[in-house]
Amino acid sequence: MAQSNSLYLRVGALVLAGLALGIGFVLFLTADRLGSDNQQFETYIRESVQGLEVGAAVRYRGVSIGRVSEIGLVSAEYRRPSNDPFGAAFQLVYVRFAIDNNRIGETPNVEEAIRLGLRVRMASQGITGVSYLELDFVDPQRFPPRVVPWQPRYPYIPAIPSTVAQVQNAAEQLLQKLQEVNLPALLDNVVGLAADMRHQFQDGDLAATLREASGLLRDLHVAVNQADVPAIAGELRGAATDARQLLAGREVKQALTNLATATAELRTASQRLPGSVTNLDATMRTARSVTTDIQAELAPILRDLRAAVANLRDTTEQLRRNPSQAIFGAPPPAPSGSRR
């Protein structure tokens, strides 16, 4: 009887522990749904969601703000049109998640946030491979929102490819471009280029240029060896010493002092030059005024003198013709027979 009671006790404890674990697991998965201030959103992902499970975290720049609540195929959730049952939009995966509004505070409405660049993408946590959803603002011109042909059941936030998907797409595009390259023609061109270079190094212009450069270097080496480099260096050293002594001499210092004095005097004279120019300008204006006055006064005198000279010339001419006029006053009468 004691063994039966012990067995029943252990079975009951095991059942209670299992029930507690089940309740805890359900509470963990529905914690965001039970919250009083949670809001449901959904997005559509084109890439594989391997590693993303219900209950995974939803983060905004590393801060946990919600949980993933549901994952499924769009083709099973929304009705497909009969004319395009396998369209690209119905090949997506929908992910619904709950956001705790108490953790994000006051934010603009969803439409305004999407216009500003709010997007969802998958991310991996460290090296464990556990995936979560990350909300962030990106360039809306680079990642425009996807238009879906159905009415979402919850507010829709567009998704963008994850970093891994972007790297994978870039690698695929690179491989596709490499496949489009004509490798045989490229190899032929490389082989031809190598042959041309070999010919240039052996018998072409490049080989002649290299031989000339080698001869020039040999001649230069011979010239350097024949030159008395130590003597030249000694002469240069002596010239530098003489120049240093000359610069340190008393005559050079006196010349520099005189030059500084002359420079100062020249600066002083240049400062006085505007005043001297002003005085000279005033003197020139005064002289010009005096000359004008003198010319005005001399003009009548010169006219009178010119008239007097003209009268004197006429008188002299008359005296030359009739000298007696100076004594008798009037010229002698003309002879009577002068008319005949």
Side-chain angles (χ1 to χ4, degrees):
M1 180 65 67
Q3 292 181 353
S4 298
N5 293 334
S6 176
L7 179 61
Y8 292 153
L9 181 60
R10 282 183 286 182
V11 171
L14 183 61
V15 171
L16 291 176
L19 183 61
L21 289 176
I23 294 174
F25 184 71
V26 171
L27 291 177
F28 174 75
L29 294 179
T30 60
D32 295 325
R33 298 182 180 180
L34 296 177
S36 59
D37 199 13
N38 288 354
Q39 186 176 0
Q40 288 284 335
F41 296 92
E42 68 179 50
T43 187
Y44 311 107
I45 300 176
R46 183 169 184 171
E47 59 187 288
S48 174
V49 294
Q50 178 69 30
L52 184 67
E53 302 291 343
V54 174
V58 178
R59 298 179 180 179
Y60 174 74
R61 296 184 177 178
V63 179
S64 179
I65 58 175
R67 295 281 179 180
V68 175
S69 58
E70 187 177 354
I71 301 175
L73 297 176
V74 170
S75 59
E77 182 69 13
Y78 294 101
R79 179 177 299 178
R80 291 174 290 179
S82 58
N83 57 352
D84 188 16
F86 299 103
F90 289 92
Q91 300 174 15
L92 302 175
V93 175
Y94 74 88
V95 178
R96 290 171 181 160
F97 51 93
I99 298 297
D100 188 354
N101 294 326
N102 293 326
R103 296 185 181 182
I104 61 176
E106 294 183 1
T107 57
N109 56 38
V110 178
E111 291 77 10
E112 180 66 17
I114 292 173
R115 189 187 66 82
L116 295 176
L118 180 64
R119 300 293 185 270
V120 182
R121 62 184 169 192
M122 286 182 55
S124 298
Q125 183 175 357
I127 61 175
T128 59
V130 178
S131 299
Y132 62 92
L133 290 184
E134 183 179 16
L135 293 174
D136 203 351
F137 285 89
V138 298
D139 185 5
Q141 301 297 329
R142 182 183 177 188
F143 299 103
R146 179 192 297 273
V147 179
V148 293
W150 59 82
Q151 181 62 36
R153 289 188 174 87
Y154 298 98
Y156 162 53
I157 299 178
I160 61 175
S162 63
T163 304
V164 176
Q166 294 181 25
V167 172
Q168 183 178 357
N169 292 335
E172 291 178 354
Q173 293 177 3
L174 179 60
L175 289 176
Q176 183 178 0
K177 291 182 179 180
L178 290 177
Q179 290 176 358
E180 295 175 355
V181 173
N182 190 355
L183 291 180
L186 180 62
L187 291 177
D188 292 340
N189 292 333
V190 172
V191 171
L193 179 61
D196 293 339
M197 292 181 64
R198 187 182 302 110
H199 174 70
Q200 287 292 332
F201 277 109
Q202 291 178 355
D203 302 323
D205 296 336
L206 183 59
T209 303
L210 291 176
R211 286 194 296 269
E212 293 177 359
S214 178
L216 179 60
L217 289 177
R218 285 196 300 270
D219 296 340
L220 182 61
H221 183 68
V222 172
V224 171
N225 290 333
Q226 291 178 355
D228 192 1
V229 177
I232 296 175
E235 292 178 0
L236 292 176
R237 193 179 298 108
T241 303
D242 295 340
R244 192 181 299 109
Q245 292 177 357
L246 179 62
L247 292 175
R250 185 168 56 84
E251 294 80 1
V252 176
K253 292 183 179 179
Q254 184 64 33
L256 293 176
T257 303
N258 296 336
L259 180 61
T261 304
T263 304
E265 293 177 356
L266 181 61
R267 187 181 299 108
T268 303
S270 62
Q271 293 175 357
R272 296 176 180 175
L273 184 60
S276 301
V277 172
T278 303
N279 296 333
L280 181 60
D281 189 17
T283 303
M284 292 295 295
R285 286 197 297 269
T286 303
R288 190 180 298 108
S289 176
V290 171
T291 303
T292 303
D293 296 340
I294 292 174
Q295 288 178 354
E297 294 177 358
L298 285 178
I301 297 174
L302 291 176
R303 285 195 299 271
D304 295 342
L305 183 60
R306 188 179 297 109
V309 170
N311 294 331
L312 182 59
R313 185 182 297 110
D314 294 339
T315 303
T316 304
E317 182 65 24
Q318 291 177 5
L319 289 175
R320 186 180 63 79
R321 294 177 179 178
N322 300 303
S324 60
Q325 186 179 359
I327 300 174
F328 299 105
S336 60
S338 59
R339 294 181 178 179
R340 291 181 301 186

